[in-house]
Amino acid sequence: MSTFDNPFDPERRLNRTGCSCGRHRSQAEHDAQLALQCAQIESEDKRYQGVVASAVMRAVFPKDAARRAFLKSVGASTALAALSQLFPLKTATDVFAQGGAIEKKDLKVGFIPITCATPIIMAHPMGFYSKHGLNVEVIKTAGWAVIRDKTLNKEYDAAHMLSPMPLAITLGAGSNPMPYTMPAVENINGQAITLATKHKDKNDPKVWKGFKFAVPFDYSMHNYLLRYYVAEHGIDPDQDIQIRAVPPPEMVANLRADNIDGFLGPDPFNQRAVYDGVGFIHILSKQLWEGHPCCAFAASKEFVTTMPNTYAALLKSIIDATAFAHKAENRKEIAAAIAPANYLNQPEIVLEQILTGTYADGLGNVKRDPNRIDFDPFPWQSFAVWILTQMKRWGQIKGDVDYKAVAEQVYLATDTAKLMKEVGLTPPTTSSKSFKVMGKEFDPAKPDDYLKSFAIKRV
Amino acid sequence: MGMTWRAAMVSLLLFGLFVGVWHLATMGSGPAVTMDPEYAKLVGATASQGKSAMPGPAEVGLKIWQHLKDPFYDRGSNDKGLGIQLAYSIARVMTGYLIAVAVAIPIGFLIGMSPLMNRSLDPFIQVLKPISPLAWMPLALYTIKDSSLSSIFVIFICSLWPMLINTAFGVASVRKEWLNVARTLEVGPFRRAFTIILPAAAPTILTGMRISIGIAWLVIVAAEMLVGGTGIGYFVWNEWNNLSITNVITAILVIGVVGMVLDQVLARATRLVTFPE
């Protein structure tokens, strides 16, 4: 049972049989509701009431079957009345809407030391967490697999993840399936392909046969973007080149040691390779897909449902920080705040180049691109659909995928929209949008056709 | 001049030579090409002035001094002084190691005293012993669900085997005559274990413990690099992350010194229990 389902509907089930998203009894009902949902008209009060009632019903009937039997025998209105006697639903709903008492003040949030995590990190020294009443400890973590395990272990309450990871965890690709949510994107753009200096005249990917590349993780935008980029140039990423997962900090060391020819990695390591004179920036990821998501703020579904107020406060801090980071005039200040050893542990000048977009390219030119990295919290569900098409394209997930249902379950666009409004931002009015990747249009409504259109794929 | 003095002189000379070669090797090549000054400001000294990527001895010396001057600073959860990081590592090593002592010595006694147990436990020991302790890490993280306990478990498992095997060997090779004397005096099995076998096997057991602490100290660095958070291994990883070779060299030296101290403590203890035959 999802948080936003009607808990008094005896027909609701855990497994999704009804419609494509699973929240409705039939596809027709789903379609009818969809228009409402996309436009964000669903009354806030009603939604809160639903959330609170869900929690209460879950507490009273931990087993779905028992709840359904009870509702069938007495009817929903009787159940609601009976429940209200036991538990003041109205008050509880009000408490939630006002962002009531925080259940847990001391939180641990894990991060990987890369500029993608800027909002999560800067929220600590710049006081965004304390502004929303939280005492957050941000903990540097050694790699993506470790951050995944520590979050699944509940050592971390929430964590910085690559945007495909919550999808992979929810689907059980590369780990045990566990319902995961991604309420906010941290950064868009901000990655690059860096090549070793010795390849400075090999700017055409067609001559890259036999190259060894590093990406941060198998389930990363980096992996999908690199594969997409070389495949568009007729290079098969599984046969013509070698792609391996290397933790970002080790990428520059490996490039210097000549273990790899290049990497599609997160900053600061692209700029760091230039700073140390071992590589040059071949192309920025924004030139492949302007506005692509990269890293994300993720939390388990359990955290979201058992501690709604803490979750709301935490998400608000992140959205607040993201909005602050979005403004170009704040970027220098942020670079100074996150450079110390406690956070990114990098020379300030490297971070400044990344965040302001005035940078040395490694070939002797100074380039200016203010959108080299940008920050935008909104988790477009179409991003998730695109990622799922690529997971399927490269054989990471098999069989039929209910793209839309998974995307809606994991990318919590409605929560983000609500909290964006609360901190004084204007959220988009839809949760899906189409975009272009290397000049090719992606229509989130037709993922299968999109997948079929590629020449190089593993499906 | 005594032998000790002469040896010390040679050691010093060798060290001086090493530092000299190191200094010359890391002098750098000077600016290779003329660079646009705006561009030069954006890149590091390695790229702009041809400075060697490897730090020289002066740089490392200065860094060590800075760390020694202020070993216990705490600037947040990810940036603590070298002293604090070492304390974390030593605490982890000691916990894992002491649990291993508590497990290995009784089982070692059992194996050493009973040929049946020796035969029946042997296949398990033979298979488990050669497993690299770090190979346990993913399994430990998955089952224990706590990264700090997982590294303690890894220390436990790696320091278990040398102690277990040495204890069993020491107990099994206590001289038969002594045991026979005990038997004629009708000494009970517990008294026999504590008053005859334990003192007789103590030097072998302590040698096993000395090997184990060495291995445990080797492994903690790797385990902490993998899991992160706190400890000297995390410090190395964090500085590697910053490509700060200077700090990495500092940490290497400190790790060496601590390892030596741990080893010497057990070497002293071994000498205390050694007896002339």
Side-chain angles (χ1 to χ4, degrees):
Chain A
M1 192 165 86
S2 141
T3 320
F4 302 110
D5 297 340
N6 175 5
F8 297 104
D9 180 354
E11 300 297 323
R12 279 287 316 116
R13 310 168 62 111
L14 264 177
N15 49 0
R16 19 191 93 266
T17 43
C19 68
S20 56
C21 82
R23 284 189 203 164
H24 309 98
R25 248 173 297 179
S26 66
Q27 188 62 40
E29 198 180 315
H30 167 93
D31 292 341
Q33 278 266 318
L34 201 63
L36 281 172
Q37 269 184 8
C38 284
Q40 290 281 320
I41 310 178
E42 195 187 354
S43 127
E44 302 243 309
D45 283 356
K46 200 136 192 200
R47 195 151 54 79
Y48 292 152
Q49 204 178 331
V51 171
V52 175
S54 278
V56 174
M57 277 306 267
R58 226 194 322 268
V60 177
F61 299 105
K63 286 218 171 83
D64 244 29
R67 179 184 56 87
R68 282 207 302 275
F70 171 70
L71 287 168
K72 271 214 169 108
S73 60
V74 302
S77 50
T78 321
L80 183 58
L83 211 61
S84 308
Q85 295 286 315
L86 284 169
F87 189 88
L89 269 185
K90 181 88 181 52
T91 327
T93 308
D94 289 348
V95 166
F96 181 76
Q98 288 156 10
I102 288 168
E103 298 90 348
K104 185 178 170 194
K105 261 187 81 148
D106 301 313
L107 299 176
K108 284 187 176 161
V109 175
F111 73 95
I112 302 281
I114 53 180
T115 39
C116 300
T118 301
I120 288 187
I121 304 169
M122 62 180 260
H124 186 252
M126 301 177 102
F128 287 93
Y129 292 126
S130 43
K131 182 175 148 197
H132 292 281
L134 295 170
N135 177 23
V136 174
E137 200 183 334
V138 287
I139 301 173
K140 205 186 288 190
T141 313
W144 297 109
V146 180
I147 215 165
R148 179 195 62 203
D149 291 351
K150 281 191 166 183
T151 336
L152 294 179
N153 283 353
K154 303 195 183 108
E155 276 184 59
Y156 294 158
D157 297 287
H160 162 208
M161 283 192 183
L162 293 157
S163 51
M165 283 169 67
L167 293 167
I169 294 173
T170 303
L171 292 169
S175 68
N176 277 346
M178 174 161 173
Y180 236 74
T181 64
M182 194 189 105
V185 167
E186 286 169 50
N187 68 307
I188 54 173
N189 303 334
Q191 322 303 308
I193 298 182
T194 298
L195 293 179
T197 314
K198 68 172 181 187
H199 295 308
K200 62 169 172 253
D201 4 287
K202 294 189 184 155
N203 261 321
D204 184 357
K206 289 194 183 71
V207 301
W208 288 359
K209 273 198 180 160
F211 270 31
K212 282 184 224 140
F213 281 97
V215 294
F217 200 57
D218 289 338
Y219 304 97
S220 67
M221 282 308 290
H222 311 86
N223 189 15
Y224 305 136
L225 283 175
L226 178 64
R227 284 168 172 269
Y228 193 107
Y229 180 62
V230 296
E232 288 296 291
H233 288 90
I235 298 271
D236 187 317
D238 287 315
Q239 277 151 28
D240 300 333
I241 58 169
Q242 217 188 79
I243 300 179
R244 40 169 121 142
V246 174
E250 294 168 33
M251 286 175 173
V252 180
N254 271 305
L255 198 63
R256 195 204 296 274
D258 218 4
N259 274 341
I260 50 173
D261 296 283
F263 57 83
L264 199 162
D267 271 316
F269 297 102
N270 299 299
Q271 200 57 50
R272 192 64 207 259
V274 172
Y275 181 83
D276 280 313
V278 294
F280 68 95
I281 294 173
H282 165 69
I283 191 169
L284 295 179
S285 63
K286 66 167 288 236
Q287 290 163 274
L288 306 181
W289 170 2
E290 171 71 50
H292 71 81
C294 171
C295 287
F297 172 72
S300 72
K301 192 136 196 171
E302 195 192 321
F303 175 70
V304 176
T305 48
T306 56
M307 293 189 249
N309 296 334
T310 313
Y311 158 71
L314 187 58
L315 187 51
K316 255 191 266 180
S317 333
I318 299 284
I319 293 175
D320 229 3
T322 311
F324 185 81
H326 171 69
K327 297 204 180 89
E329 67 267 25
N330 298 334
R331 298 277 177 88
K332 267 199 173 175
E333 189 190 339
I334 295 171
I338 62 176
N342 196 23
Y343 304 108
L344 287 188
N345 198 13
Q346 290 289 337
E348 200 179 315
I349 182 77
V350 170
L351 298 181
E352 215 176 280
Q353 290 181 64
I354 296 157
L355 292 175
T356 60
T358 300
Y359 65 94
D361 69 346
L363 298 170
N365 313 307
V366 177
K367 295 202 169 164
R368 280 175 187 82
D369 193 338
N371 283 336
R372 173 172 174 173
I373 187 166
D374 204 347
F375 302 92
D376 181 351
F378 198 71
W380 291 98
Q381 283 163 359
S382 42
F383 287 169
V385 176
W386 186 85
I387 291 168
L388 289 166
T389 63
Q390 300 302 304
M391 283 182 166
K392 213 173 153 186
R393 177 180 181 187
W394 304 114
Q396 286 182 334
I397 47 175
K398 304 251 178 331
D400 284 333
V401 181
D402 191 343
Y403 295 98
K404 210 166 157 35
V406 177
E408 280 177 7
Q409 203 190 343
V410 179
Y411 281 40
L412 301 181
T414 39
D415 278 26
T416 315
K418 176 188 136 241
L419 294 169
M420 278 173 83
K421 258 186 253 160
E422 269 184 37
V423 294
L425 302 168
T426 326
T429 48
T430 61
S431 57
S432 222
K433 68 168 177 184
S434 51
F435 44 79
K436 277 187 184 152
V437 182
M438 288 182 78
K440 184 170 166 159
E441 191 76 34
F442 171 67
D443 179 357
K446 293 180 190 134
D448 282 318
D449 295 349
Y450 182 70
L451 193 52
K452 267 184 219 126
S453 70
F454 294 110
I456 302 177
K457 58 176 177 276
R458 302 276 102 72
V459 183
Chain B
M1 238 187 336
M3 190 65 167
T4 329
W5 275 104
R6 274 185 292 168
M9 290 298 285
V10 175
S11 289
L12 254 164
L13 204 71
L14 283 174
F15 183 71
L17 198 69
F18 168 71
V19 170
V21 171
W22 180 10
H23 179 73
L24 289 177
T26 53
M27 289 265 275
S29 52
V33 275
T34 41
M35 234 178 234
D36 175 14
E38 192 195 356
Y39 185 84
K41 249 194 287 175
L42 296 179
V43 295
T46 318
S48 59
Q49 292 150 31
K51 183 176 169 291
S52 166
M54 193 73 188
E59 233 175 300
V60 173
L62 188 71
K63 200 77 202 174
I64 294 177
W65 176 238
Q66 281 168 1
H67 280 296
L68 289 183
K69 231 174 27 180
D70 186 13
F72 299 109
Y73 71 83
D74 187 351
R75 289 185 210 118
S77 44
N78 305 309
D79 186 17
K80 296 184 200 299
L82 214 49
I84 296 183
Q85 305 286 26
L86 278 174
Y88 272 109
S89 297
I90 293 172
R92 277 190 197 125
V93 164
M94 281 306 155
T95 319
Y97 180 75
L98 290 178
I99 298 173
V101 169
V103 172
I105 293 180
I107 298 183
F109 257 79
L110 190 68
I111 294 173
M113 287 170 79
S114 146
L116 173 73
M117 289 313 281
N118 186 1
R119 290 267 179 100
S120 48
L121 286 178
D122 191 56
F124 298 105
I125 297 175
Q126 294 307 329
V127 170
L128 291 174
K129 188 182 64 168
I131 297 172
S132 160
L134 288 181
W136 292 101
M137 195 49 121
L139 192 68
L141 273 177
Y142 188 82
T143 46
I144 302 177
K145 297 197 184 302
D146 182 291
S147 54
S148 193
L149 283 181
S150 299
S151 23
I152 292 173
F153 169 77
V154 167
I155 295 301
F156 162 77
I157 204 93
C158 77
S159 40
L160 188 67
W161 310 114
M163 280 194 272
L164 185 67
I165 291 165
N166 265 43
T167 309
F169 175 74
V171 169
S173 49
V174 172
R175 281 167 63 177
K176 289 283 165 297
E177 295 89 332
W178 300 347
L179 294 175
N180 288 339
V181 170
R183 206 162 287 143
T184 51
L185 295 172
E186 292 188 340
V187 176
F190 275 98
R191 205 164 154 216
R192 192 173 66 204
F194 281 103
T195 54
I196 297 166
I197 301 177
L198 187 61
T204 330
I205 296 175
L206 270 152
T207 310
M209 288 172 72
R210 188 176 163 191
I211 299 171
S212 281
I213 195 86
I215 295 177
W217 187 246
L218 292 182
V219 169
I220 192 68
V221 177
E224 284 170 346
M225 280 181 87
L226 210 63
V227 181
T230 45
I232 189 73
Y234 165 77
F235 179 85
V236 173
W237 176 82
N238 194 20
E239 291 309 330
W240 182 24
N241 191 7
N242 184 21
L243 303 168
S244 166
I245 305 296
T246 324
N247 272 321
V248 171
I249 295 175
T250 311
I252 288 174
L253 287 175
V254 172
I255 292 169
V257 170
V258 173
M260 189 184 73
V261 169
L262 290 175
D263 185 66
Q264 284 306 309
V265 168
L266 277 153
R268 283 280 159 84
T270 314
R271 245 172 274 150
L272 283 180
V273 296
T274 310
F275 53 87
E277 277 193 39

